[in-house]
Amino acid sequence: MIVAKDITNSVPTSVWIATLIKTYENFVFKGKSDYWISQKDIQEIAKLLCPKNIDNARISQWCNGDHPNNTYNYLRSKGKLRRITKIGEFSNYKEQPRELPINELIFQNSNVKLINLIEWYENVYCKIEFYDCKNIKNENDDKNLKYSIVEKEKNKQSAYKINCHERLINEDLCISKDISIRAEALTKVAWEIFSKKVGNGLISINKEASMQLQYSYILKHMSPLIIFEDDENIEIELETTVNDGISNREVDIMVIVSKGDEIYKIALELKCYRTKASSGGNRGATDIFMKDVYQDIQLLECYCENKQANIGIMLVMNDHKNFVHPLNKNGKCWNYDISQGTKVGNVHKTTPIGGKAIDITLKNEYQFNWEGIGEFWFLFLMPNV
């Protein structure tokens, strides 16, 4: 009987462990050489191992090395069935999770821990010659060749842009004599660190409050590293009271940078959407979230106009792919488009959402460039210059 429960916060990790558990169970306990597992069986076991939502796409696509739009190479596919990837099938690239709870008890009756399953996987499973390996390879060769050509071309086109982007951030962070520029670069680097930790399951975020806490923690502990002069200082404040020109509000995070008597303020607004609410139910209200993103961008502009901040930056994360790559854009909510590549600027939005009148004006220009990591999408949004 499987006794492991909530042993990881990473959905992909739970999928890999679940497939290993079912494979081990078939071979060792049932005496069957049955390494092809149904997605439903994997999903049911993964639900025991991880408190997060385990939707079928994580098994059918994200963790499936044979899918052209995969993220991990944890599984191989044969129709609707899946098996755990053998070591070396993808040249050791993303074939298994980097961090595993190896000391967790999996089967109570036989006192089997995850470390025992991993040893069996390495010493027994990975040495099995599967009769259908060649068939899988042949089925996927043409598909993989097609997508590898496409990916190589994409990488070639974007490599220069990426290198330039990283070089500029590094120069701003470490070389610039202006601490305000270094501080702006720091918010970006801290966000990239936060994104990778959350996306890879090392930090658990269930709502905006935990997002605010975890990101500000990273920002606060990195800020002393970019102070190079005695008269420089950086303070990180949460829920700072500011005025938007009409009333007082609280900005999520305020980075206060000082150089002698000069003060420079960076206002940060955060938005988090999880398909499962912190209470455990389905969240819904996607239209309200999209509108709220625009509303917070407007607030950041108001803070700057009223000299409450020098610049406003929007940080957004979600696990709802349709925000980023929608199948279609039907519905009035798409008047508040936040999908990948969307450019907005100098616009006035009045489309009602949730039965409430809306009046949003954006004066600056923005472009939504999301980064997908694991099961999440992350956005660092600031005015285009």
Side-chain angles (χ1 to χ4, degrees):
M1 185 176 103
I2 299 172
V3 294
K5 184 175 175 60
D6 294 345
I7 62 175
T8 178
N9 280 317
S10 169
V11 172
T13 297
S14 71
V15 168
W16 188 85
I17 297 175
T19 312
L20 175 59
I21 288 174
K22 188 61 181 176
T23 307
Y24 183 89
E25 194 176 49
N26 287 344
F27 273 74
V28 178
F29 294 157
K30 297 182 180 179
K32 299 179 180 179
S33 300
D34 193 357
Y35 46 84
W36 287 112
I37 314 295
S38 74
Q39 295 181 55
K40 183 178 179 181
D41 285 346
I42 296 172
Q43 186 178 36
E44 290 303 312
I45 297 175
K47 286 179 180 179
L48 299 176
L49 307 178
C50 180
K52 297 181 181 179
N53 179 47
I54 313 290
D55 60 53
N56 192 58
R58 307 306 171 194
I59 303 165
S60 64
Q61 175 182 336
W62 296 97
C63 294
N64 177 13
D66 294 316
H67 195 287
N69 294 322
N70 71 323
T71 303
Y72 305 98
N73 296 317
Y74 293 172
L75 308 177
R76 300 303 304 265
S77 64
K78 185 176 76 170
K80 294 184 178 181
L81 299 176
R82 299 289 180 269
R83 72 164 171 83
I84 195 166
T85 298
K86 290 169 54 176
I87 295 173
E89 286 192 274
F90 292 93
S91 301
N92 298 312
Y93 180 67
K94 292 188 176 181
E95 292 176 347
Q96 58 180 280
R98 291 183 179 181
E99 296 190 14
L100 291 164
I102 59 174
N103 293 317
E104 292 289 345
L105 185 66
I106 305 298
F107 298 104
Q108 186 176 32
N109 295 342
S110 53
N111 197 32
V112 175
K113 295 183 178 180
L114 180 57
I115 184 64
N116 304 124
L117 269 65
I118 294 172
E119 290 172 350
W120 176 84
Y121 163 77
E122 294 174 348
N123 298 322
V124 178
Y125 177 85
C126 288
K127 294 180 181 178
I128 297 174
E129 287 294 331
F130 297 131
Y131 72 91
D132 46 10
C133 277
K134 291 183 180 179
N135 292 335
I136 296 174
K137 185 178 185 299
N138 292 335
E139 288 173 6
N140 290 296
D141 269 352
D142 291 341
K143 176 183 66 178
N144 290 340
L145 176 61
K146 171 186 173 183
Y147 281 95
S148 66
I149 292 172
V150 172
E151 287 303 312
K152 284 179 181 178
E153 187 59 32
K154 284 182 180 177
N155 291 339
K156 188 188 298 182
Q157 293 174 359
S158 62
Y160 177 74
K161 293 180 181 178
I162 292 172
N163 289 336
C164 285
H165 169 71
E166 291 179 348
R167 189 183 73 245
L168 288 172
I169 287 179
N170 289 335
E171 287 179 355
D172 287 346
L173 190 64
C174 303
I175 300 176
S176 175
K177 294 182 179 180
D178 189 337
I179 189 173
S180 63
I181 294 177
R182 298 201 300 269
E184 285 182 18
L186 178 64
T187 62
K188 175 67 172 175
V189 173
W191 178 246
E192 291 176 349
I193 292 172
F194 170 87
S195 301
K196 286 179 172 60
K197 282 186 170 291
V198 173
N200 290 308
L202 300 179
I203 294 178
S204 178
I205 302 296
N206 63 351
K207 53 186 176 182
E208 283 171 24
S210 57
M211 178 186 176
Q212 180 192 48
L213 180 65
Q214 296 288 357
Y215 173 73
S216 62
Y217 179 86
I218 295 172
L219 194 60
K220 183 175 180 62
H221 283 76
M222 290 183 68
S223 59
L225 301 177
I226 64 164
I227 294 175
F228 304 143
E229 302 289 342
D230 290 339
D231 62 347
E232 296 177 344
N233 188 48
I234 297 177
E235 294 290 336
I236 311 295
E237 293 185 358
L238 307 185
E239 305 298 334
T240 300
T241 300
V242 294
N243 191 280
D244 64 2
I246 299 174
S247 60
N248 287 337
R249 296 180 179 273
E250 291 181 339
V251 63
D252 289 335
I253 301 175
M254 184 71 81
V255 181
I256 304 173
V257 184
S258 60
K259 169 73 172 177
D261 296 329
E262 297 180 2
I263 302 292
Y264 188 85
K265 294 184 178 182
I266 305 171
L268 301 165
E269 287 289 351
L270 284 62
K271 273 283 172 279
C272 173
Y273 185 94
R274 298 299 312 274
T275 51
K276 289 288 185 181
S278 56
S279 60
N282 293 326
R283 177 169 174 180
T286 54
D287 56 344
I288 294 176
F289 179 80
M290 295 165 72
K291 179 267 298 179
D292 284 350
V293 170
Y294 275 72
Q295 210 155 44
D296 276 7
I297 297 172
Q298 177 183 243
L299 282 175
L300 288 168
E301 289 190 356
C302 290
Y303 299 157
C304 295
E305 287 175 6
N306 288 279
K307 303 189 184 305
Q308 304 294 295
N310 296 89
I311 190 169
I313 297 173
M314 190 80 194
L315 306 176
V316 190
M317 63 170 283
N318 78 83
D319 63 352
H320 185 57
K321 187 178 180 181
N322 198 59
F323 284 143
V324 184
H325 296 296
L327 296 177
N328 59 65
K329 293 186 179 181
N330 299 329
K332 62 182 182 180
C333 64
W334 288 103
N335 286 334
Y336 304 94
D337 192 351
I338 61 173
S339 63
Q340 184 73 302
T342 295
K343 296 180 180 180
V344 295
N346 193 25
V347 294
H348 185 208
K349 302 283 188 179
T350 58
T351 304
I353 295 293
K356 296 182 179 180
I358 304 297
D359 187 1
I360 296 174
T361 299
L362 302 184
K363 299 178 180 178
N364 296 320
E365 293 185 353
Y366 306 88
Q367 181 167 348
F368 289 78
N369 294 319
W370 295 89
E371 181 182 10
I373 303 176
E375 60 184 299
F376 295 97
W377 295 90
F378 300 89
L379 174 69
F380 182 93
L381 189 70
M382 61 188 298
N384 292 341
V385 293

